[in-house]
């Protein structure tokens, strides 16, 4: 495992970390604390020292599991996200009163005295033009409730606008099917010492290269229920890529890159960009951890391999993905 600095936080974190959206159970399945703890332990054994959670994941159970793990492993760092656990989503959820309450609730839920990093959870675009939202985070930081703050975003423009404020990190969708963030935003993040967490790094599993036209997902799985943005931004599911287009693109990547382990190569691709602090693939069970962590120690992609990724993106995905996010 290799480690990188997470922007202004100064945290030295594993470049393959763990997203906990599906911790302790697959989509739609009941939360299992034993599976959750075993998954966190296996990740730690593999060198992972950074975990990404949110107050709304698994009804708060993800936060509880991560909090307990952090208390038992003080060398571990984490981020939690706030602002989307109450529905319907409203700009009011990012006002000072709500943000203060959400931070207090996360502190209680995780059993901690301070939160390492708090990200505003994909706020509406208007929030980036509401300075009091970010001034509230400054106040919570001064009070010692949070150590750092940042944003989780849908669009590159939101990530760029967020850097008008004292953000330490930005979480953004970046993978072989979503290349636009690597342009202007990455350069600006490096200039501003803002860490980047690459989320949805395997495009909801498409970049494992294992899906086919006949692949079925659970009835409650967002890959069934959110293909057209029915539940939240459609870019969260398959990175906004049409499913069959993504299957074809993944198969071509496997063939042209000459690999049967596209997932690891896809994660290693993300790490080719030094602006990225970590990729945060998810795992619902311990046996999925090593599948991801091996990417950290793979050799760098060759220039011709990087060009293949660009070629496949341009052929299948740039229109419309590049223009939407």
């Amino acid at each position: 495992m290799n480690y990188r600095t997470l922007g202004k936080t100064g945290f030295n974190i594993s470049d393959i970390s763990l997203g906990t959206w599906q911790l302790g159970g697959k989509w739609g399945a009941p939360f299992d604390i034993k599976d959750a703890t075993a998954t966190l332990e296996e990740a730690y054994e593999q060198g992972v020292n950074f975990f990404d959670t949110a107050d709304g994941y698994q009804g708060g159970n993800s936060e509880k599991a991560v909090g307990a793990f952090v208390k038992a492993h003080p060398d571990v760092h984490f981020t939690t996200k706030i602002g989307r656990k109450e529905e319907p989503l409203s700009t009011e959820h990012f006002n000072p009163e709500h943000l203060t309450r959400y931070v207090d609730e996360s502190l209680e839920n995780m059993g901690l005295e301070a939160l390492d990093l708090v990200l505003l959870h994909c706020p509406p675009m208007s929030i980036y033009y509401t300075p009091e939202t970010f001034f509230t985070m400054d106040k919570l930081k001064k009070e010692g409730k949070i150590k750092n703050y940042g944003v989780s975003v849908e669009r590159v423009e939101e990530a760029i606008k967020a850097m008008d404020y004292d953000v330490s990190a930005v979480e953004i969708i970046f993978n072989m099917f979503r290349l636009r963030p690597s342009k202007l935003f990455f350069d600006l993040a490096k200039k501003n010492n803002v860490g980047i967490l690459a989320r949805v790094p395997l495009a909801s599993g498409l970049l494992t290269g294992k899906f086919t036209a006949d692949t079925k997902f659970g009835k409650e799985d967002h890959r069934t229920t959110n293909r057209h943005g029915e539940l939240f931004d459609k870019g969260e599911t398959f990175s906004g890529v049409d499913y069959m287009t993504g299957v074809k693109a993944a198969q071509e990547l496997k063939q042209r890159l000459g690999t049967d382990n596209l997932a690891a190569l896809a994660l290693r691709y993300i790490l080719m960009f030094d602006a990225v602090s970590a990729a945060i693939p998810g795992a619902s069970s311990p046996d999925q951890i090593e599948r991801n962590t091996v990417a950290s120690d793979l050799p760098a992609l060759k220039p011709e391999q990087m060009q293949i990724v660009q070629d496949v993106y341009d052929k299948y995905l740039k229109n419309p993905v590049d223009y939407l996010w």
Side-chain angles (χ1 to χ4, degrees):
M1 180 65 71
N2 295 293
Y3 299 83
R4 300 183 180 189
T5 302
L6 180 59
K8 297 172 190 172
T9 70
F11 300 155
N12 196 37
I13 67 171
S14 50
D15 58 11
I16 299 295
S17 292
L18 181 66
T20 65
W21 195 3
Q22 54 186 322
L23 185 71
K26 295 181 179 180
W27 265 88
F31 179 79
D32 187 319
I33 185 59
K34 290 183 179 179
D35 279 350
T37 303
T39 301
L40 294 170
E41 290 284 2
E42 179 61 24
Y44 185 74
E45 287 297 315
Q46 296 290 337
V48 173
N49 72 342
F50 185 80
F51 301 100
D52 169 85
T53 187
D55 56 6
Y57 287 177
Q58 302 282 22
N61 285 312
S62 176
E63 259 195 349
K64 289 180 181 178
V66 171
F69 192 83
V70 168
K71 290 175 73 174
H73 302 81
D75 57 327
V76 163
H77 293 292
F78 69 94
T79 183
T80 191
K81 299 184 289 295
I82 61 172
R84 295 185 69 92
K85 70 176 178 179
E86 296 175 332
E87 295 182 347
L89 180 65
S90 165
T91 55
E92 288 186 7
H93 295 159
F94 297 93
N95 68 25
E97 293 75 20
H98 278 83
L99 293 178
T100 300
R101 174 166 64 85
Y102 292 152
V103 165
D104 287 341
E105 289 172 350
S106 288
L107 285 167
E108 182 177 358
N109 205 29
M110 300 188 79
L112 300 170
E113 294 182 358
L115 303 174
D116 278 355
L117 173 64
V118 174
L119 303 179
L120 302 183
H121 199 173
C122 298
M125 188 64 178
S126 63
I127 293 300
Y128 296 91
Y129 294 88
T130 309
E132 67 175 352
T133 292
F134 297 90
F135 297 162
T136 299
M137 302 306 289
D138 290 330
K139 179 174 180 288
L140 291 167
K141 185 176 178 180
K142 187 175 182 179
E143 291 172 353
K145 292 183 178 182
I146 65 177
K147 298 177 183 178
N148 303 273
Y149 72 86
V151 291
S152 182
V153 304
E154 300 289 0
R155 292 175 172 80
V156 169
E157 287 76 11
E158 294 165 347
I160 293 172
K161 177 59 180 172
M163 288 189 289
D164 283 351
Y165 307 100
D166 189 28
V167 296
S168 295
V170 170
E171 190 175 277
I172 191 168
I173 297 175
F174 176 63
N175 56 50
M176 286 178 167
F177 286 175
R178 184 78 75 86
L179 300 188
R180 186 172 171 237
S182 65
K183 311 303 181 187
L184 175 63
F185 168 57
F186 278 17
D187 290 339
L188 290 174
K190 288 174 65 176
K191 181 179 179 180
N192 288 279
N193 192 25
V194 170
I196 295 174
L197 299 171
R199 66 190 187 94
V200 197
L202 297 177
S204 306
L206 273 175
L207 283 166
T208 63
K210 297 179 179 179
F211 294 171
T212 70
D214 299 321
T215 300
K216 303 295 182 184
F217 303 100
K219 186 169 64 173
E220 301 299 323
D221 193 308
H222 73 101
R223 292 172 292 188
T224 298
T225 58
N226 193 58
R227 291 196 182 190
H228 306 289
E230 295 91 336
L231 301 178
F232 30 74
D233 190 282
K234 70 176 183 178
E236 299 278 351
T237 302
F238 302 130
S239 294
V241 174
D242 170 74
Y243 178 73
M244 282 309 304
T245 301
V247 169
K248 292 175 184 177
Q251 291 303 316
E252 183 162 328
L253 283 169
K254 284 178 65 176
Q255 185 269 321
R256 292 185 63 183
L257 292 170
T259 182
D260 287 325
N261 188 7
L262 183 60
L265 206 60
L267 293 173
R268 185 63 182 88
Y269 173 84
I270 292 170
L271 301 181
M272 292 295 294
F273 297 83
D274 61 1
V276 173
S277 301
I280 51 171
S284 59
S285 62
D287 60 358
Q288 296 175 352
I289 294 295
E290 189 174 4
R291 173 199 71 185
N292 298 329
T293 56
V294 295
S296 179
D297 296 316
L298 289 179
L301 274 69
K302 299 175 182 178
E304 54 266 33
Q305 292 176 301
M306 298 293 286
Q307 187 59 51
I308 287 170
V309 176
Q310 185 68 56
D311 291 346
V312 171
Y313 179 78
D314 290 344
K315 177 180 177 180
Y316 290 101
L317 309 163
K318 183 173 183 178
N319 184 14
V321 170
D322 211 65
Y323 303 100
L324 295 179
W325 292 283

